[in-house]
Amino acid sequence: MRPRWRKVLSDLIDNKARTTLVVLSIAVGVFAIGVIAGAYRIISDDMSVSYAANNPSNIEIRMDDFDEDFLNTIRKFDGIKEAEARRVFNTRVRPLGETLWTSVDVVTMEAFEANEVNLLVPISGEIVPLKNEILLERDVLEKMDVVPGETLEVQLRDNSIKTIYVAGIVQDSSTGAVDFLAPPLAYISTDTLKLFDQPELFNRVFATVEIGQDDDNHINIVLSALKEKIEKNDYEVGRTFRSLTHQHPLESTINAVLGILMALGVLIVFLSSSLIANTLSALLTQHLRHIGVMKLIGGRDKIIFRMYLILLLAFGVLSLLVAVPLGGQGAYALAQFIANKMGFLLLGYRIVPLSFFIQIAVGLLVPLIAGFVPVIKGSRVTVQKAISGDTSGETSEQAEGGANKESRIDEIQLKVTRILADRGIRIQRPLLVSLRNTFRRRGRLMLTLFTLTMGGATFISVFNVRVTLHEYVKDVGNYFLADVTLDFDTPYRVSEIEQFARQDPRVTHVEGWAFSGADILYPDGSTADNVSLLAPPAGSDLVNPLMVAGRWIEADDKKKLTISEGIYDLYPDLEVGDYLPLKVNGKEESWEVVGVFKFIGMEGILGYAPYEYISRDQNLANRSFSYRIVTEQHDRGYQEMMAEDMDAYFRESGFHVQEATPGLSTLDSASESLDILISFLLIMALLTAVVGSMGLAGTMSMNVLERTREIGIMRAIGATDWEIIRMVIIEGLLIGMISFGLGIVLAVPFTYGLSWIVSTAIFETPIAVIFTPMGYFIWLGLVILLSVLASVIPARSAARLTIREVLAYE
Amino acid sequence: MTTSTQTFPLIQLRDVVKNYQSEAGVFPALKTINLSIERGEFLGIIGKSGAGKSTLLNMFTGVDELTSGEVIVHSSGESVSLHNLNENDLALWRGRTMGVIYQSFQLLPMLTLVQNVMMPMDMSGLYHPRKSRERALELLDMVELIEHAHKLPAYISGGQQQRVAIARALANDPPMIVADEPTGSLDSVTADHIFQLFERLVQSGRTIVMVTHDKGLMPRFSRHIEIVDGELLSEGGIQ
Ligand SMILES: Nc1ncnc2c1ncn2[C@@H]1O[C@H](COP(=O)(O)OP(=O)(O)O)[C@@H](O)[C@H]1O
Ligand SMILES: [Mg+2]
């Protein structure tokens, strides 16, 4: 090997700690970018393909019971390609021997063999359930442990308990996709309906359109026409949903989340390159003498520049060897995780060429860019400076600037020390030395502070954003304040239910609510969207709305409603007092908007009108299907217990209970998916913190290395190991604390920025930011820990140096 | 051309002045030096510490810039004014024409002895890599270090390191060797050994300029000059 390459190789392998530090700092960035870019690609490819592969319905219609004949009418309808009828009803199941019930939506299918729309993918066991057998959607497994071949208990409306055989586990990525807050699904064939005491009729239509499967406008036209046809046949239509074949309903949300992660990945690359710049400029400084020797014996700038370029590329290649395989695995794991949560299948493990190339580009370019300036400077240095100049010195201008700064700092320090001493406060000498050392290399200190501060600020912000999001979900919970929601199959008199419920002393308040589905129309009379109209009594305390404009509902409102912010998507210029064309119970009407309130955007549009009006309009005055019950205590466990007790109690008394749900259960899944996002953000924040502390560790070891002689002299005059270690640790801690102080400040804009991005991505609306001390405390603890760790290793090696080694050091 | 440059001395210093700029002001390290170095001579530059010996040496190795004056080198058929060359050409020129030896050896610590000796050949590109290895081993053999060829500099003694530095200085077969107190950090026996090596190189036709503060060495040079406070004092004649 030519000696010049031999030298490059030695530079690479002789100082393993430094090489590891540089390689890891590049690798962290490459890894982060690789994981995110890979996952992004895998998900955006597979989500639509895997979603489309199961032939998702473009149209879902929830309607009155209908039979096979009417299904054929729908099938023949113009523009409809395939249509399947289902009967969906809610029931409760539990494994034999368990006490806890799980609510599931049972989907009844005509013919599993002829399944064309919303295809089921087998996971284990059978795919076709026989009579009195059931298939479970994978999500059920999150609530209970069950395998094919086991038996479940199901509870019927009349309270009787039957058993059913679990034939298999399937995945249904289409049916549940529109509403991931809905209960998990289970599947039976029509001949099992008798077991559930259900009529052999259908209540839902799932259909695909013939053309324009990815054209929402076209789907809407077909849907509107079909709805009209159905209503003409005297069936009532409830909610309807539209979805595109090649777009998972949650795609934009997932992409937004990945976008945020990508931004953090870029930040990590950025931070790690400043760390590399730091390490490389120290390396070049240490190599100044070598460069001088090579120039003395005939080395030209070009050769030396090339040698260090190769060294930089070697750092890059080594980091790629670490980061690319890990990044590929990580990308797939992240994609798998998201796919699992969102209920679609990936198309299999693969290397994503795009992310592969991005990683290679980042891994090679980052060290080149970060090392360019130090390498240029190093290769241009003159022989005289390189050989005669002290080997720890920087180039002359910097050294001079540094000397001035240093003496100023010394001066200030002297003054401060004197002032403190006058007041009886004495700073120990090692501490003084540390303080001065910290400021000795300003450029390096700045870079170290920068990385550590960015890491800390990101870390703190993630905690703030977490609380902000949870607080927002809790605010949304202000619309669901009841402890138990009790739904019946038939309407009962409100006074009767109230009297009944009140016999349980734990019940403190009962309200009967009404409900109505409605369509929001465009001015031209075409359907724009569904709106769920909830109708609590006007004076209800169980809704605590966050008004954006106007007022809340009042008892004597007629054809007036408050509506959620989502309306602005359809009517951007809507103002309070405007009239909105609605189609309620098949009649086109004009309702006055009296108020607009805040609500999670992706839930669709929600409206409120007073019970007093809606119940009369539905000829259900003083009666209701649905009740909100307030209990003595409001914690989760208590609500669950009360829901079970109420359910059992009303069933035993002969009421046709459909479902009793504990108050916060709908919010749980929302919080759950937020937590997934938060945990990703936290991982990224931790990575930035790791990069920051690697920077600190690098800086500390460089500082220690450059002070080898000084340490030797300290030892020669009797400093103990502990005193030297303490001196280095104090210096590390000082840097950590300064960055903590800066991080506190920087976390404020970071928090605002991050929560704006996250909330507009998920809730489609900016939300009020909340700060929590938790992130600050955890980061304080972490930064202390990291600073000490980052200093201990260099400190120990400094303490281990013998006087002879130190004085021999050049 | 060849014949015409042959008549010139190898190196001519004309009115060379070197001032150091420092916080205390301008320090004149060399005060109008005129000096010619002839082919084949063994020139000793003798002076006390701080007299300006190294500064003078740096003038005709081109390692440092001069304040005024000119250094002209006549070799391989060309006359070159050193300080008109750019840093790159100077490095290449120095690598091919001059072997430089320092008191502190200046070996690259991560390379074995043979690789250290190969380095100038690698830098100048004058020898094919395989050829340069052979040559490096020959040179190490000449300085009697062949058995240590694959050791790192840290594992041999100071005198041995200086012999490696000499072998390295000879790598590109330069007509001239410049040595700044090459024996300064060696014990007297080792120093004598190194000095004998220089004497043999002179016998084989090379020009050597050597700086020392050791007046006892005076008689062993073919010519010596003394430098005091940046001025040339006396000049010994060719013996
Ligand atoms: N870079 C420099 N800056 C300022 N003064 C210098 C510098 N280098 C050398 N000197 C001064 O110039 C004088 C001659 O130095 P030098 O040539 O190294 O002496 P010698 O090699 O004879 O011991 C000394 O007084 C020294 O202090
Ligand atoms: Mg000297």
Side-chain angles (χ1 to χ4, degrees), chain A residues 441-454:
Chain A
R441 294 213 168 252
R442 288 208 323 150
R444 183 182 297 168
L445 178 68
M446 291 301 160
L447 272 179
T448 314
L449 280 177
F450 173 72
T451 26
L452 204 55
T453 304
M454 293 294 272

Side-chain angles (χ1 to χ4, degrees), chain A residues 102-341:
Chain A
T102 297
S103 173
V104 294
D105 277 350
V106 179
V107 179
T108 317
M109 287 168 54
E110 276 192 283
F112 281 83
E113 297 88 343
N115 177 208
E116 287 180 320
V117 181
N118 287 7
L119 297 176
L120 303 183
V121 177
I123 300 286
S124 64
E126 302 294 324
I127 177 104
V128 178
L130 304 177
K131 190 174 177 181
N132 296 346
E133 289 183 355
I134 196 166
L135 300 180
L136 301 177
E137 216 281 332
R138 227 178 32 134
D139 281 352
V140 177
L141 303 184
E142 281 180 19
K143 312 265 176 177
M144 59 169 114
D145 278 332
V146 61
V147 291
E150 284 185 355
T151 302
L152 291 183
E153 285 187 331
V154 297
Q155 189 178 35
L156 305 194
R157 283 186 294 181
D158 64 0
N159 220 19
S160 59
I161 292 175
K162 303 244 172 103
T163 56
I164 194 162
Y165 176 82
V166 178
I169 308 289
V170 294
Q171 181 167 28
D172 182 351
S173 45
S174 333
T175 311
V178 286
D179 183 9
F180 77 111
L181 296 180
L185 302 172
Y187 307 83
I188 57 168
S189 60
T190 38
D191 45 9
T192 313
L193 279 170
K194 272 199 203 78
L195 178 92
F196 285 90
D197 200 18
Q198 292 273 344
E200 277 193 45
L201 291 168
F202 305 110
N203 57 13
R204 286 197 196 176
V205 177
F206 292 89
T208 54
V209 292
E210 220 146 21
I211 50 159
Q213 297 191 329
D214 290 312
D215 176 359
D216 190 50
N217 260 333
H218 174 72
I219 296 172
N220 195 15
I221 290 167
V222 175
L223 172 63
S224 300
L226 179 59
K227 231 173 116 175
E228 216 158 284
K229 168 97 182 173
I230 294 171
E231 280 166 348
K232 268 194 196 125
N233 279 275
D234 260 351
Y235 292 100
E236 232 184 78
V237 172
R239 296 186 74 176
T240 59
F241 299 91
R242 308 186 298 268
S243 15
L244 308 183
T245 301
H246 286 92
Q247 197 188 78
H248 192 285
L250 296 175
E251 188 169 294
S252 58
T253 309
I254 295 170
N255 283 346
V257 168
L258 286 170
I260 298 161
L261 292 180
M262 182 62 97
L264 282 178
V266 171
L267 176 68
I268 290 179
V269 169
F270 189 58
L271 294 185
S272 71
S273 44
S274 79
L275 159 58
I276 298 157
N278 219 349
T279 315
L280 288 178
S281 89
L283 178 140
L284 264 293
T285 308
Q286 285 165 20
H287 277 203
L288 221 52
R289 195 179 65 81
H290 303 168
I291 294 172
V293 170
M294 286 188 287
K295 288 197 153 186
L296 182 72
I297 57 178
R300 282 152 291 162
D301 292 3
K302 211 166 64 186
I303 294 179
I304 288 157
F305 180 71
R306 226 182 278 149
M307 285 170 68
Y308 281 92
L309 212 60
I310 297 289
L311 181 66
L312 295 182
L313 285 177
F315 283 135
V317 169
L318 283 179
S319 73
L320 286 177
L321 289 180
V322 177
V324 168
L326 283 180
Q329 297 290 331
Y332 196 72
L334 177 60
Q336 185 80 66
F337 183 81
I338 293 176
N340 261 332
K341 286 289 163 196

Side-chain angles (χ1 to χ4, degrees), chain A residues 2 4 6 289 295 301, chain B residues 88 91 94 106 115 122:
Chain A
R2 291 175 75 160
R4 64 173 82 158
R6 179 68 231 178
R289 195 179 65 81
K295 288 197 153 186
D301 292 3
Chain B
N88 272 327
R94 192 191 310 117
Q106 302 288 10
Q115 284 161 344
D122 187 20

Side-chain angles (χ1 to χ4, degrees), chain B:
Chain B
M1 279 283 268
T2 315
T3 44
S4 68
T5 51
Q6 283 295 332
T7 60
F8 289 109
L10 184 59
I11 293 179
Q12 277 182 299
L13 277 74
R14 289 186 191 150
D15 299 329
V16 169
V17 173
K18 174 70 183 175
N19 296 331
Y20 284 119
Q21 223 75 34
S22 73
E23 276 166 43
V26 178
F27 177 82
L30 295 178
K31 302 163 187 165
T32 324
I33 304 281
N34 282 290
L35 176 67
S36 295
I37 299 165
E38 302 295 336
R39 280 180 189 73
E41 73 173 334
F42 187 8
L43 175 65
I45 298 175
I46 301 171
K48 292 199 181 96
S49 178
K53 307 182 295 292
S54 299
T55 308
L56 178 59
L57 217 58
N58 286 341
M59 291 302 106
F60 56 81
T61 54
V63 158
D64 202 0
E65 279 160 14
L66 40 68
T67 306
S68 68
E70 205 177 8
V71 176
I72 298 166
V73 180
H74 309 277
S75 81
S76 12
E78 281 174 293
S79 297
V80 179
S81 175
L82 262 200
H83 294 88
N84 287 338
L85 293 178
N86 67 30
E87 181 81 16
N88 272 327
D89 293 340
L90 195 61
L92 193 60
W93 170 84
R94 192 191 310 117
R96 293 176 178 192
T97 351
M98 214 175 250
V100 186
I101 298 164
Y102 282 98
Q103 177 179 353
S104 51
F105 325 134
Q106 302 288 10
L107 299 178
L108 291 175
M110 75 292 286
L111 297 184
T112 61
L113 306 189
V114 65
Q115 284 161 344
N116 261 294
V117 177
M118 282 163 72
M119 199 59 154
M121 297 184 257
D122 187 20
M123 291 289 153
S124 68
L126 285 179
Y127 296 86
H128 186 273
R130 203 169 309 126
K131 183 90 201 331
S132 74
R133 187 176 185 79
E134 267 168 42
R135 186 170 159 75
L137 289 171
E138 276 167 29
L139 287 166
L140 282 175
D141 194 26
M142 188 195 88
V143 296
E144 295 163 22
L145 283 171
I146 187 76
E147 70 271 31
H148 301 296
H150 300 289
K151 285 188 181 165
L152 291 176
Y155 296 99
I156 58 174
S157 72
Q160 288 171 322
Q161 287 191 43
Q162 194 58 297
R163 268 144 62 198
V164 177
I166 292 168
R168 182 179 67 182
L170 294 170
N172 280 329
D173 196 19
M176 182 174 183
I177 302 279
V178 177
D180 190 350
E181 310 218 29
T183 56
S185 56
L186 304 175
D187 64 86
S188 58
V189 178
T190 318
D192 194 57
H193 197 85
I194 297 288
F195 205 88
Q196 284 168 19
L197 197 53
F198 280 127
E199 286 172 331
R200 263 187 282 137
L201 290 173
V202 177
Q203 276 156 25
S204 70
R206 255 171 263 260
T207 312
I208 296 187
V209 179
M210 175 170 156
V211 157
T212 180
H213 62 264
D214 183 359
K215 286 198 171 181
L217 291 172
M218 239 188 303
R220 294 174 71 173
F221 296 112
S222 65
R223 175 167 74 116
H224 69 266
I225 49 176
E226 222 177 317
I227 181 166
V228 177
D229 292 339
E231 283 174 300
L232 296 187
L233 255 199
S234 60
E235 201 170 311
I238 298 168
Q239 291 172 340

